[in-house]
Amino acid sequence: MVKKTAKLACMETRAPQKRRLETRQKLIDAAEAIIAERGYAGLRVEDVVARAQVAKGTFFSHFDDKDRLMALLIGQELERILDRIAKGPTPASIDEFAIRLAPLMEYMAQDRVVFDVVLRFSGAAAIETTELISLNFMHQVELFTTWINALRGTAIRTDVDPMLLAEGVHAFVIQAMALKFCALHNTNKSHERLAPYLEPWLAPPKSAQ
Amino acid sequence: MVKKTAKLACMETRAPQKRRLETRQKLIDAAEAIIAERGYAGLRVEDVVARAQVAKGTFFSHFDDKDRLMALLIGQELERILDRIAKGPTPASIDEFAIRLAPLMEYMAQDRVVFDVVLRFSGAAAIETTELISLNFMHQVELFTTWINALRGTAIRTDVDPMLLAEGVHAFVIQAMALKFCALHNTNKSHERLAPYLEPWLAPPKSAQ
Amino acid sequence: MVKKTAKLACMETRAPQKRRLETRQKLIDAAEAIIAERGYAGLRVEDVVARAQVAKGTFFSHFDDKDRLMALLIGQELERILDRIAKGPTPASIDEFAIRLAPLMEYMAQDRVVFDVVLRFSGAAAIETTELISLNFMHQVELFTTWINALRGTAIRTDVDPMLLAEGVHAFVIQAMALKFCALHNTNKSHERLAPYLEPWLAPPKSAQ
Amino acid sequence: MVKKTAKLACMETRAPQKRRLETRQKLIDAAEAIIAERGYAGLRVEDVVARAQVAKGTFFSHFDDKDRLMALLIGQELERILDRIAKGPTPASIDEFAIRLAPLMEYMAQDRVVFDVVLRFSGAAAIETTELISLNFMHQVELFTTWINALRGTAIRTDVDPMLLAEGVHAFVIQAMALKFCALHNTNKSHERLAPYLEPWLAPPKSAQ
DNA sequence: TATGAATGAGCGTTCATTCAT
DNA sequence: TATGAATGAACGCTCATTCAT
């Protein structure tokens, strides 16, 4: 799996030429079109290059890997979704918290392939922090922390560090996504899978045990 | 991908003959031996039948699929591990709770292949509840509930339904397993990934906010 | 392909028991039903025995071979068709001759499998004259000879032995059937493939060259 | 059975590169060598690629199918045989006509596999006229017509269109080939199977009935 | 840079036939 | 007799990736 001729990170590369960028975009466009038609699982390098009117080798001169392209595409989409969520109002309750996250979860759980890529690239492979998916995860925790701080003391408990709570939320999001693929817990709405856990996780303890 | 001559669920199938069961066991034994030697990723149908001294056609008359066999093997192993855990003493604290689950998590996270199969067969594909992995997940929740009930009122909060707590624990287990493949959260011990979340999740609320 | 324990032809076999005959008939019925549904190419031993509610081995205790069963089925059908043709009036012209043979040709050319079996069992394998298809071929030549004799001197030439002519006709029938599978000569009606050859073959020579 | 990524007929395919042609030839050569050693029935894809020192995938990127390769090989051989026949002198009699065709018939009837492939690819499957076997059949009729024209008026009748006669001859050739597999008519020499039919078919009518 | 031919290991499948019970 | 589990050799196919031009 290790690329033999990995480009050195420090290598001074002159600005990519216009033609190269165009080719890259053609490939991305082709891939997105195919995904729109056939889903992520239906994405095949062969089809991408055919659609982009480009040779197979060209693909691999632009993307190390098919998975790398997917990670890029998925990362972009995650950012778009998170942006849209961030632009909305801060949730006023825990329930709303869950609801606001629905689009993110829906997207991640839509497809086994997305799920796989998200997991793979959110972590291990992502030491180079250029990986969009990893960045997005950080953005998610940041957003959650903001929200938690806003509700802290009212709807949200104060006995746990907001950051840890945020990470926990993120964990629940991932888990709820994973459970999408698990019939045992499969209710229809993703936020309905999330909320039951969010409540005891975030709510302030009832006064008396 | 639909099996052409799938056996009808309602079909009168008389009990398999002794020889059939023996052959099945030979296949399973062969597969386990190969996995022990070369790991799950090194399992090849061709080797299994060679080792079991059985024809390839026989393999496919017993298991739909290589993945199906793996799901069976992994399911068995999960049961074995869970049994061992269940036989041990009830954990006395939340930390111990996490520690006791380590073997389960270690096994599930040992290998991407196991991880994949567990996820795939725990859920979607497992509408047929014959799937061992699904069953094992239920067993896990049962065990957790027992433990939670045992600690309820002392180490564990009483303001949340034990069953829901148990499901939450299971969710954290899965998530921690997933995070094994995620460098950002990758600490060495699996229970160390689990514990930070288990504490606020299970512990009784501190007396005053 | 040679059966190891072929039954000796001279073996005194007691009359088959009723149950055996019933099983045999169940198999034949099942096979015919499947052929009606899926064509000869779709006939699989597995399905036959399933439909007949009989074990696989039973099939082979009744028919040496799948092909043997097919030869039986096809032979029966050929006899039925030839009988129907023979019951009709003697053709009054060469064209009619061709037309009268259409049902036979249509049946034989309907399907590559039928074609194959007919060829195989009309000849080589058919040294045991019990083979229905071989017998049917003889019946065909007999019928043709009758017809040729009826028209001899009027519509049909007298300079060639009627028997040879009959064999030639049979040859043309087979050939026209074969040509069904050959696009170059593929006109719609089988008798239209036959007639052009029958005319110069059977017609009396025009008085003067 | 429909190829998933069948190349569109209209697709702009630039001329294949030299290397591709060489590989193709390697495959063909390997196949021919194997056939020479083990006969058509002994041709196995695995052996072909092994001998050609080429990957299995490569085979299928060159030929849809094992049968397709065979059709090519057989078509080539038929052309070679027909060329040799065409280079010889025009037959001087009907008997010679039959004799001259012997090599063609011998080749086609040598082997059930060849016979099958010839029939399958001469016809139905051969709508794409690229199929060599179909082309060869046309070439045969052309050659026969030339011969018939040469003998017309002396050894061959004038009351039937030469082209129709030629097609009839071709039909007889095919039929004689088919009858090779039919014991009832199985004389040793193929032209001896052909001649009896050729005589009344081609000869001028005797002066008086 | 771009090209596109080649790679290659293994999977899933087929199904008539055999044979021990 | 009937049973049905097992056989087994090959085929077709996949498709991301490599690499020489």
Side-chain angles (χ1 to χ4, degrees), chain B residues 93-170:
Chain B
S93 69
I94 292 177
D95 260 358
E96 222 185 292
F97 204 124
I99 291 170
R100 299 292 309 285
L101 296 183
L104 208 54
M105 296 172 67
E106 235 111 71
Y107 173 71
M108 287 198 281
Q110 74 178 280
D111 188 321
R112 269 223 54 103
V113 176
V114 173
F115 168 75
D116 273 21
V117 171
V118 164
L119 279 180
R120 177 155 26 250
F121 283 87
S122 67
I127 300 159
E128 343 163 19
T129 336
T130 44
E131 216 55 69
L132 280 185
I133 297 179
S134 282
L135 288 176
N136 181 262
F137 277 22
M138 298 200 273
H139 296 162
Q140 285 183 38
V141 173
E142 285 166 21
L143 179 62
F144 301 160
T145 309
T146 316
W147 285 359
I148 287 167
N149 278 326
L151 294 180
R152 200 169 143 93
T154 59
I156 286 185
R157 70 207 290 186
T158 55
D159 62 336
V160 178
D161 177 50
M163 185 84 165
L164 179 69
L165 285 178
E167 281 178 29
V169 171
H170 176 247

Side-chain angles (χ1 to χ4, degrees), chain C residues 20 55-58 61-62:
Chain C
R20 183 154 180 81
K56 255 225 193 105
T58 308
S61 91
H62 280 271

Side-chain angles (χ1 to χ4, degrees), chain A residues 130-149:
Chain A
T130 47
E131 216 54 70
L132 280 185
I133 296 179
S134 284
L135 288 175
N136 180 262
F137 275 25
M138 296 199 246
H139 295 163
Q140 284 182 40
V141 173
E142 283 166 23
L143 179 62
F144 301 161
T145 310
T146 316
W147 285 359
I148 287 167
N149 279 325

Side-chain angles (χ1 to χ4, degrees), chain A residues 3-196:
Chain A
K3 291 292 283 184
K4 274 148 233 160
T5 34
K7 272 168 204 122
L8 292 173
C10 60
M11 204 162 106
E12 280 290 308
T13 30
R14 68 185 67 180
Q17 280 148 20
K18 201 180 111 217
R19 185 179 166 211
R20 183 153 179 82
L21 285 175
E22 283 167 3
T23 303
R24 184 187 161 90
Q25 198 53 47
K26 274 201 290 184
L27 284 165
I28 291 176
D29 291 346
E32 281 180 335
I34 289 169
I35 287 166
E37 281 171 21
R38 282 174 255 170
Y40 285 89
L43 188 71
R44 292 172 8 172
V45 174
E46 188 135 347
D47 296 340
V48 174
V49 297
R51 190 160 201 144
Q53 310 248 53
V54 145
K56 259 230 191 101
T58 308
F59 180 96
F60 290 94
S61 92
H62 281 272
F63 308 99
D64 289 359
D65 217 86
K66 184 183 139 184
D67 279 6
R68 221 50 170 238
L69 170 61
M70 283 192 136
L72 176 71
L73 263 22
I74 292 171
Q76 281 182 354
E77 190 61 25
L78 284 176
E79 276 301 298
R80 269 180 234 130
I81 293 171
L82 193 64
D83 273 359
R84 237 173 290 135
I85 293 175
K87 267 178 199 133
T90 300
S93 68
I94 292 177
D95 261 358
E96 224 186 289
F97 204 123
I99 292 170
R100 298 293 309 284
L101 296 183
L104 206 55
M105 296 172 66
E106 234 111 72
Y107 173 72
M108 287 198 283
Q110 75 177 280
D111 190 317
R112 275 234 24 125
V113 177
V114 173
F115 170 75
D116 272 22
V117 172
V118 164
L119 281 180
R120 176 153 30 243
F121 281 88
S122 66
I127 301 157
E128 338 160 26
T129 339
T130 47
E131 216 54 70
L132 280 185
I133 296 179
S134 284
L135 288 175
N136 180 262
F137 275 25
M138 296 199 246
H139 295 163
Q140 284 182 40
V141 173
E142 283 166 23
L143 179 62
F144 301 161
T145 310
T146 316
W147 285 359
I148 287 167
N149 279 325
L151 295 179
R152 199 168 144 94
T154 59
I156 285 185
R157 71 208 289 187
T158 54
D159 61 336
V160 178
D161 176 49
M163 187 82 164
L164 179 68
L165 284 180
E167 281 178 29
V169 171
H170 176 245
F172 277 123
V173 166
I174 295 247
Q175 152 240 324
M177 176 185 80
L179 295 187
K180 159 73 186 293
F181 300 101
C182 174
L184 293 176
H185 306 74
N186 209 348
T187 45
N188 292 332
K189 305 282 179 187
S190 54
H191 69 264
E192 288 171 5
R193 284 196 298 278
L194 182 60

Side-chain angles (χ1 to χ4, degrees), chain D residues 132-189:
Chain D
L132 280 186
I133 296 179
S134 283
L135 288 175
N136 181 262
F137 276 23
M138 297 202 273
H139 295 163
Q140 286 183 39
V141 173
E142 284 165 22
L143 178 62
F144 300 162
T145 309
T146 315
W147 285 0
I148 287 167
N149 278 325
L151 294 181
R152 199 169 144 94
T154 58
I156 286 186
R157 71 208 291 186
T158 55
D159 61 335
V160 179
D161 177 50
M163 186 84 166
L164 179 68
L165 286 179
E167 282 178 30
V169 171
H170 177 247
F172 277 124
V173 167
I174 293 252
Q175 153 240 326
M177 175 188 82
L179 295 187
K180 159 73 185 290
F181 299 100
C182 172
L184 292 177
H185 306 74
N186 207 348
T187 44
N188 291 332
K189 305 281 179 185

